[in-house]
Amino acid sequence: MSALREKIARLISTQGPMDISRYMTMAMSDPQYGYYNTAEPFGRSGDFITAPEVSQMFGEIIAVWAIATWQGLGSPGPFALCEAGPGRGTLMDDILRTGAKLAPQWLACARPVLVETSPRLVKIQQEKLSSHPVKPQWIENLDGLPQIPLLLIANELFDVLPIRQYAACKGGFRERMVSLSREGSLCFSLGPVEAAPAPAKKMPSGTIVEISPARLALARQISRHLARHKGAALIIDYGALEPGVGDTLQAVSKHGFCGPLKNPGGCDLTSHVDFAALAEAAHSAGCQTAAMTQGAFLLKLGLLERADRLGAGGNEALRRQVTADTERLAAPDQMGELFKILCIASPPANAPPFHWEPAPTQQSPEQRHPEQQH
Ligand code: SAH
């Protein structure tokens, strides 16, 4: 048994079953044995590969978005260029490099901020970004953001934030918990019957509903900053744009799936992101939202043109690699459709390439709750 599995088993045997949210938090972030503090998950040789690690073109297109969005805001002077959950720092590296080339004025106003909880990854990011003349700031959570306009990017962060699962049953819902089997291995069990965890329609017994207070809290915090100081955020992840049900908890190791309870701390634990719930949180904080697939976003902002230019400078092998990377990022059967991009923006939103409907709530939270005004 791994050391972390033993630690979790000991806790369960003394305190009883733990909810999935606590299990995920321990598996991913335990200071001693947590996945992000011990493993080297990213890249072709790791457990999974993320879009910025597939190709520099991903970060280049995000930079184009950030420059155009800043201009759409009226080029408001200094702004926080924030990446939340930056992994190896590759995306920020590509954004800063592209900004220096395409828009030095934009870069001169950018205050790069990286939000990271893993001390091990902070070191890797610091090294990666050390050659840029603009010196980034590292913070552990968004409370440390400077009170200025914000452009924020979060790629594959929300899927790692913990969830809770509930199974529909006669008379309500039962929370899915992590317990110990008679043989002493980790297994799922169900807690006592309780009321619906979120507004839920009637559904067949056994249907799993997932909620993530941690994701909603983060979306709310980003949105409040945007509503107050202006700006926009891109939340990029896999999941559905429409609300849905079902068990999406998954564990990935060496580019393949394994059981979520098999090897806590040894594989990446994630679940699909409920974008509709994040959009609702953003609206209630006074922001507008729009969404599209990753494929559509990249193509609309010029991925194919960029790939042509990049390929034109190299040999046949490079051209083949660029074509493969382009397909990996944008083809519908690869990352193009599974991954979605939710844009949250302060009203009146004007961030390309999204189509902006008038906001469902055009009022600021203060206008809607005058009794809370000070
Ligand atoms: N965006 C990167 C890495 C994704 S993995 C990429 O696309 O390659 C998730 C990242 O989020 C890791 O850097 C992890 O340490 C970080 N992370 C996990 N929980 C976090 C939290 N609550 N706040 C900020 N970062 C977090």
Side-chain angles (χ1 to χ4, degrees):
M1 201 182 240
S2 76
L4 185 56
R5 196 146 33 129
E6 225 165 273
K7 189 169 172 178
I8 292 172
R10 241 189 348 262
L11 266 178
I12 294 174
S13 68
T14 55
Q15 300 177 2
M18 66 170 65
D19 66 46
I20 289 176
S21 165
R22 179 149 187 231
Y23 173 77
M24 283 180 87
T25 304
M26 286 188 76
M28 301 302 284
S29 310
D30 183 83
Q32 229 179 331
Y33 309 113
Y35 182 71
Y36 282 122
N37 292 317
T38 57
E40 184 45 70
F42 312 104
R44 289 178 208 267
S45 59
D47 290 327
F48 55 86
I49 184 157
T50 57
E53 305 291 339
V54 167
S55 166
Q56 66 182 67
M57 294 185 289
F58 185 78
E60 290 169 349
I61 302 272
I62 299 284
V64 166
W65 172 84
I67 295 163
T69 299
W70 182 71
Q71 289 165 345
L73 286 164
S75 308
F79 66 96
L81 174 63
C82 178
E83 185 182 358
R88 289 211 288 215
T90 308
L91 178 58
M92 183 57 90
D93 186 37
D94 287 329
I95 293 175
L96 294 177
R97 177 179 52 76
T98 309
K101 218 194 254 173
L102 296 186
Q105 278 163 308
W106 172 86
L107 189 63
C109 293
R111 305 287 173 267
V113 181
L114 289 99
V115 191
E116 178 58 73
T117 44
S118 155
R120 190 185 74 83
L121 287 172
V122 167
K123 279 207 196 92
I124 292 175
Q125 294 153 15
Q126 284 172 336
E127 206 158 293
K128 179 94 178 192
L129 300 174
S130 60
S131 62
H132 291 282
V134 205
K135 294 297 161 226
Q137 174 194 355
W138 272 264
I139 56 178
E140 264 182 51
N141 59 59
L142 291 180
D143 295 343
L145 268 183
Q147 306 291 307
I148 52 179
L150 170 68
L151 294 180
L152 177 140
I153 300 114
N155 187 60
E156 292 208 44
L157 165 65
F158 278 73
D159 66 271
V160 306
L161 298 181
I163 56 162
R164 296 173 75 162
Q165 289 187 328
Y166 294 82
C169 66
K170 210 165 151 235
F173 284 81
R174 297 175 69 184
E175 181 157 12
R176 210 164 171 228
M177 310 292 281
V178 179
S179 302
L180 282 179
S181 72
R182 244 187 242 137
E183 297 73 39
S185 54
L186 299 177
C187 64
F188 287 114
S189 66
L190 293 174
V193 178
E194 50 185 294
K201 292 194 209 97
K202 257 201 118 35
M203 50 188 83
S205 214
T207 308
I208 301 282
V209 176
E210 296 180 336
I211 62 163
S212 176
R215 291 177 191 167
L216 295 183
L218 184 59
R220 237 177 261 126
Q221 197 177 8
I222 294 168
S223 304
R224 277 199 213 108
H225 186 106
L226 295 173
R228 183 168 303 164
H229 299 285
K230 299 261 173 241
L234 287 185
I235 295 172
I236 309 165
D237 230 306
Y238 45 90
L241 294 178
E242 301 301 326
V245 293
D247 171 16
T248 72
L249 184 65
Q250 62 185 36
V252 169
S253 173
K254 302 284 166 226
H255 301 270
F257 292 109
C258 50
L261 303 184
K262 276 262 154 58
N263 186 11
C267 44
D268 187 40
L269 266 187
T270 69
S271 75
H272 284 213
V273 172
D274 175 355
F275 285 99
L278 300 186
E280 211 177 288
H283 296 158
S284 66
C287 284
Q288 288 178 254
T289 64
M292 61 177 64
T293 63
Q294 174 170 305
F297 176 88
L298 294 174
L299 293 175
K300 279 175 195 276
L301 287 183
L303 178 67
L304 296 182
E305 294 75 2
R306 179 61 193 135
D308 275 350
R309 291 260 306 276
L310 198 58
N315 57 19
E316 184 55 30
L318 178 81
R319 271 195 294 281
R320 239 180 283 135
Q321 185 63 50
V322 170
T323 305
D325 293 346
T326 306
E327 280 172 10
R328 178 113 191 217
L329 291 174
D333 59 341
Q334 300 199 44
M335 296 174 93
E337 266 181 14
L338 175 62
F339 280 77
K340 315 290 191 304
I341 303 195
L342 175 71
C343 185
I344 304 177
S346 55
N350 178 24
F354 298 94
H355 174 67
W356 292 96
E357 306 272 356
T361 50
Q362 285 285 1
Q363 304 157 309
S364 72
E366 284 73 22
Q367 283 170 314
R368 276 182 289 114
H369 301 291
E371 72 280 5
Q372 288 173 3
Q373 231 167 352
H374 298 292

